[in-house]
Amino acid sequence: MGREFGNLSRMRHVITYSLSPFEQRAFPNYFSKGIPNVLRRTQGCILRVVPPFVVAYLIYTWGTQEFEKSKRKNPATYENDK
């Protein structure tokens, strides 16, 4: 019938290593090294990321307020109307 799938061809001079899934640790050092690493990396780049977002938010709110003001009619224009 031929070879089984995954062993269809023979590759020479290639060495592969594998580890049984039962011997692997899914989350090694997750709490002791992973979370502190995320905090350290976040602190390192926060001054590059946050200021553009703050500026964009301030420009957006200013623009929205100006747009709402421009939609209103000026009451002084209609003082003499009856």
Side-chain angles (χ1 to χ4, degrees), residues 55-65:
V55 169
Y57 175 76
L58 292 174
I59 291 173
Y60 174 77
T61 54
W62 171 80
T64 305
Q65 289 173 354

Side-chain angles (χ1 to χ4, degrees), residues 7-49:
N7 294 321
L8 296 177
S9 65
R10 181 181 166 113
M11 297 180 68
R12 297 179 59 188
H13 307 292
V14 176
I15 301 172
T16 58
Y17 297 96
S18 64
L19 185 64
S20 169
F22 298 107
E23 296 178 19
Q24 295 179 7
R25 293 176 29 198
F27 296 103
N29 303 323
Y30 180 72
F31 293 105
S32 63
K33 293 183 181 175
I35 293 175
N37 187 33
V38 168
L39 295 175
R40 179 188 56 81
R41 292 176 63 187
T42 303
Q43 288 174 350
C45 70
I46 199 159
L47 292 177
R48 275 182 265 145
V49 174

